Amino acid sequence: MSNLEARTGRDHQRYDNNFRLVSGCIPYRMVKDKEDSSVDFENKLQVLMVSSPNRHDLVFPKGGWEDDETVLEAASREAMEEAGVKGILREDPLGVWEFRSKSSSVEPDCCLGGGCKGYMFALEVKEELATWPEQDNRERKWLNVKEALELCRYEWMQSALEEFIRVMTEDGSTKEEDFLTISSISSRGERQIDPQYCSVVN
């Protein structure tokens, strides 16, 4: 069992015009094949998804953004609590998505009107913890991006993943023709934050 505990309750939850503010990330890694350097992008870039408690859905780590932390700290905390990973978090969000819970059992108290506003970031995983706060309720699974796109149950998460792929392409991590035809977006910055959950570098 992990020595760290997941935050619970909504006493410090942030809201914006009745939208519950949520922060999360897409954890990823680049897999290098020592025997075959020509491994295509679809299989080289992997993302980490976790199961939802008491369900078989796979989702990206996310949760409530609280009033005693920055949105970046909230995203990195959720990655550690739900997926047991730490790494390098990009400062600029992939985007901000407004969504409504389709099931109260999946997104309880997602806000007064049932809506959430989610900030999603990209997290390059550098460490996988053997134990983490929510390991009893969640399983983690590495997938290639094609598999992840097919398994995304929520449209907004699929949109966030598509934006993540665009970021990776623009950053030169792969060539556009290797996987999808992707349009250019603005460059992303990075900075240092609380290393308890993950690090962000300049």
Side-chain angles (χ1 to χ4, degrees), residues 10 31 38 43 64 72 85 92-93 106 111 118 120-122 191 197:
R10 293 290 178 263
V31 177
S38 64
N43 294 302
L72 292 168
V85 292
D92 289 348
V106 177
C111 123
M120 293 294 287
F121 300 84
R191 70 174 179 84
Y197 304 117

Side-chain angles (χ1 to χ4, degrees), residues 22-28 61 71-76 89-95 97 118-123 160 164:
V22 170
S23 186
C25 65
I26 297 179
Y28 73 94
V71 67
L72 292 168
E73 289 169 337
S76 56
L89 187 72
R90 291 168 180 264
E91 179 183 43
D92 289 348
L94 297 168
W97 285 266
Y119 294 75
M120 293 294 287
F121 300 84
L123 173 73
F164 164 77

Side-chain angles (χ1 to χ4, degrees), residues 1-16:
M1 177 62 73
S2 171
N3 291 327
L4 294 171
E5 294 184 2
R7 291 191 178 193
T8 58
R10 293 290 178 263
D11 293 341
H12 297 284
Q13 173 65 55
R14 292 179 188 252
Y15 292 90
D16 179 16

Side-chain angles (χ1 to χ4, degrees), residues 179-192:
F179 183 59
L180 294 173
T181 301
I182 302 171
S183 61
S184 296
I185 61 171
S186 60
S187 61
R188 309 286 173 171
E190 299 172 335
R191 70 174 179 84
Q192 194 77 28

Side-chain angles (χ1 to χ4, degrees), residues 63-127:
W65 173 14
E66 301 192 347
D67 60 15
D68 62 346
E69 61 188 351
T70 68
V71 67
L72 292 168
E73 289 169 337
S76 56
R77 174 177 57 76
E78 291 295 338
M80 185 279 296
E81 290 180 353
E82 294 190 356
V85 292
K86 300 180 181 181
I88 299 173
L89 187 72
R90 291 168 180 264
E91 179 183 43
D92 289 348
L94 297 168
V96 182
W97 285 266
E98 292 184 2
F99 57 95
R100 182 176 297 275
S101 171
K102 293 183 178 179
S103 169
S104 59
S105 63
V106 177
E107 294 286 352
D109 71 342
C110 198
C111 123
L112 304 179
C116 298
K117 183 180 291 185
Y119 294 75
M120 293 294 287
F121 300 84
L123 173 73
E124 182 180 4
V125 173
K126 295 298 184 181
E127 181 182 1

Side-chain angles (χ1 to χ4, degrees), residues 2-179:
S2 171
N3 291 327
L4 294 171
E5 294 184 2
R7 291 191 178 193
T8 58
R10 293 290 178 263
D11 293 341
H12 297 284
Q13 173 65 55
R14 292 179 188 252
Y15 292 90
D16 179 16
N17 292 326
N18 288 337
F19 280 89
R20 179 186 174 214
L21 298 184
V22 170
S23 186
C25 65
I26 297 179
Y28 73 94
R29 67 184 180 187
M30 299 297 293
V31 177
K32 296 181 179 179
D33 191 321
K34 296 180 179 179
E35 298 180 357
D36 183 5
S37 60
S38 64
V39 175
D40 60 17
F41 172 57
E42 178 183 321
N43 294 302
K44 183 166 57 177
L45 177 63
Q46 296 184 339
V47 295
L48 183 66
M49 302 187 79
V50 295
S51 60
S52 299
N54 304 316
R55 298 176 67 92
H56 297 295
D57 297 337
L58 289 177
V59 297
F60 294 114
K62 65 168 180 57
W65 173 14
E66 301 192 347
D67 60 15
D68 62 346
E69 61 188 351
T70 68
V71 67
L72 292 168
E73 289 169 337
S76 56
R77 174 177 57 76
E78 291 295 338
M80 185 279 296
E81 290 180 353
E82 294 190 356
V85 292
K86 300 180 181 181
I88 299 173
L89 187 72
R90 291 168 180 264
E91 179 183 43
D92 289 348
L94 297 168
V96 182
W97 285 266
E98 292 184 2
F99 57 95
R100 182 176 297 275
S101 171
K102 293 183 178 179
S103 169
S104 59
S105 63
V106 177
E107 294 286 352
D109 71 342
C110 198
C111 123
L112 304 179
C116 298
K117 183 180 291 185
Y119 294 75
M120 293 294 287
F121 300 84
L123 173 73
E124 182 180 4
V125 173
K126 295 298 184 181
E127 181 182 1
E128 289 186 59
L129 304 177
T131 60
W132 67 97
E134 297 188 21
Q135 68 181 91
D136 291 341
N137 297 319
R138 297 182 186 273
E139 294 182 0
R140 55 189 179 190
K141 185 173 184 179
W142 284 103
L143 302 163
N144 65 43
V145 288
K146 182 178 180 181
E147 292 170 332
L149 281 168
E150 292 174 349
L151 289 173
C152 276
R153 179 171 182 259
Y154 303 106
E155 184 177 349
W156 76 272
M157 278 196 177
Q158 187 175 64
S159 176
L161 180 56
E162 290 170 348
E163 190 67 12
F164 164 77
I165 296 170
R166 292 188 180 94
V167 171
M168 296 301 291
T169 298
E170 195 216 32
D171 282 355
S173 299
T174 186
K175 294 181 180 179
E176 188 168 313
E177 59 268 23
D178 284 341
F179 183 59

